[in-house]
Amino acid sequence: MSPITLFDMSSINGSVHTIDYHTAGEPFRIVADGLPPIRGATVAEKRIFAQHSVEVDSIRALLCQEPRGHADMYGCFVVAPDDAEADFGALFWHNDGYSTACGHGTIALGVWAVQTGRVKTKPDGVTPVTIDVPSGRVIAHVRQVAGTVASVTFENVASYPVKHSVGVDTSVGRVIVDIAFGGALYASIEASALGLEVTPQHASSLRAIGREIKWALNDTEVSLHRADPRLSGIYGTIIFDDLGDTPDGPHQRNVTIFADGRIDRSPCGSGTAARLALLADAGRLGPDQVLTHDSIIGTRFIGRFRPALGGEPRGAIIAEVEGMAHRTGDGEFTLDESDPVGTGFLLT
């Protein structure tokens, strides 16, 4: 257990209030108010500030770590957007810090914004919820029927292939991965190449090799974002089963091992965007087709794409990922200053 620095609870009135959702099984804990100041002219700058602020990061630790959270907890701080064209901004966090993108979180934020009245809605039709995140501007298109949310389509920043056939030396031998950007950088590899299947029974082995591949690549040339160094680093490893083709397009099942060895229970929204970029680049998926993308627990996203305007970088697409989030509860979390475990711990 690493020592955790405590923070002054009086700065947020003694408690942290959250609204919790899950998207296709993956948790998402939203903190919309009561935060200390998070400085920066843009959400990307606010992410850097949060990473270096003990006061802000202690709140992440409090909510993400045991005993109030768990190693696979995920969430966000709602912050001011870059400008008035967006509804709000979001800083995504997990057990290892702050991510640059989060598709399942964007879907949950879309549902939250509509259900709480944060944005004006269309009771029958689609309401766009525009969100600034560290990788850029994304939109959650929230579809309602008779005032009830039925689905959300997450429209991502431009996604694109980065490099094919990258060799990685691992404990199971040399493996070959493909790298793509979907708001964050991901390495993709078929499970059969590792002697595995994407099933809960193989979860421990999938976690171990996914974590190994991520860290083996994280400080290499392929982990460098070509335009913005703040987006550099391999965020996760996508391990997939190819289940063939439906009449509408490819059917795959994946597990994304992200951050420091965390298993995404959903099919991973930004990871789905990265998969769409690779499949489109390979000619496996056309603009009039869909990727049926299942998770390790059997939940599903539907992925579509259109070519990005200008087509730069090469093979760039705009991914649209359809899913749904459901509210699981509200929380009010406090820290007793005499608590010997402080803001918590991770037992993995």
Side-chain angles (χ1 to χ4, degrees):
M1 184 190 306
S2 300
I4 303 295
T5 303
L6 304 186
F7 65 95
D8 180 5
M9 293 295 293
S10 65
S11 66
I12 51 172
N13 300 317
S15 63
V16 182
H17 179 249
T18 70
I19 303 175
D20 285 22
Y21 285 79
H22 82 85
T23 305
E26 178 70 359
F28 195 70
R29 178 165 282 173
I30 300 170
V31 185
D33 50 52
L35 291 164
I38 302 178
R39 298 185 179 88
T42 65
V43 173
E45 291 179 6
K46 290 180 176 73
R47 174 175 176 258
I48 301 301
F49 179 89
Q51 289 174 318
H52 295 92
S53 167
V54 171
E55 188 177 23
V56 175
D57 197 53
S58 292
I59 302 176
R60 177 196 64 82
L62 182 85
L63 299 175
C64 193
Q65 299 183 144
E66 297 182 53
R68 300 166 189 85
H70 52 80
D72 292 277
M73 178 55 70
Y74 209 112
C76 86
F77 300 141
V78 176
V79 296
D82 293 358
D83 58 52
E85 297 300 314
D87 293 300
F88 52 87
L91 294 180
F92 302 118
W93 45 256
H94 46 67
N95 76 325
D96 195 43
Y98 299 83
S99 56
T100 60
C102 179
H104 93 272
T106 300
I107 290 171
L109 283 166
V111 177
W112 166 79
V114 166
Q115 290 182 336
T116 60
R118 182 95 181 200
V119 298
K120 294 181 179 179
T121 67
K122 301 175 182 178
D124 285 285
V126 176
T127 299
V129 180
T130 304
I131 309 167
D132 284 331
V133 304
S135 58
R137 182 160 289 173
V138 300
I139 304 174
H141 298 276
V142 183
R143 183 173 66 88
Q144 291 190 94
V145 178
T148 299
V149 177
S151 67
V152 181
T153 298
F154 152 54
E155 182 180 334
N156 200 11
V157 299
S159 303
Y160 51 86
V162 173
K163 191 169 185 180
H164 293 281
S165 303
V166 177
V168 187
D169 292 317
T170 74
S171 58
V172 298
R174 189 168 180 82
V175 300
I176 305 298
V177 304
D178 295 321
I179 310 296
F181 180 78
L185 286 161
Y186 291 92
S188 285
I189 184 170
E190 193 161 359
S192 60
L194 302 168
L196 297 170
E197 290 182 290
V198 180
T199 63
Q201 291 80 6
H202 289 158
S204 294
S205 297
L206 292 163
R207 183 198 298 267
I209 191 62
R211 186 182 198 179
E212 191 176 341
I213 291 169
K214 175 239 170 80
W215 288 119
L217 292 170
N218 194 59
D219 293 322
T220 66
E221 184 178 353
V222 296
S223 74
L224 300 176
H225 189 274
R226 64 188 73 186
D228 187 345
R230 295 172 300 186
L231 304 180
S232 293
I234 300 296
Y235 179 55
T237 304
I238 302 171
I239 305 172
F240 67 94
D241 290 332
D242 196 322
L243 305 177
D245 290 280
T246 73
D248 298 319
H251 183 195
Q252 297 187 346
R253 178 174 57 232
N254 89 97
V255 64
T256 299
I257 312 301
F258 68 93
D260 188 19
R262 308 283 51 90
I263 291 180
D264 195 329
R265 276 73 170 156
S266 81
C268 187
S270 53
T272 297
R275 292 296 305 147
L276 289 167
L278 289 172
L279 289 166
D281 188 59
R284 178 81 185 278
L285 182 72
D288 58 342
Q289 295 180 301
V290 302
L291 168 64
T292 302
H293 214 205
D294 294 344
S295 74
I296 192 172
I297 65 168
T299 53
R300 178 170 290 179
F301 288 160
I302 299 296
R304 303 173 177 84
F305 79 92
R306 66 180 189 271
L309 292 175
E312 293 295 335
R314 186 193 65 81
I317 63 166
I318 300 299
E320 298 177 354
V321 181
E322 181 181 347
M324 183 58 189
H326 299 273
R327 189 165 175 168
T328 57
D330 295 359
E332 186 174 347
F333 296 93
T334 60
L335 175 63
D336 182 343
E337 293 183 358
S338 67
D339 188 341
V341 302
T343 53
F345 57 90
L346 295 174
L347 189 62
T348 59

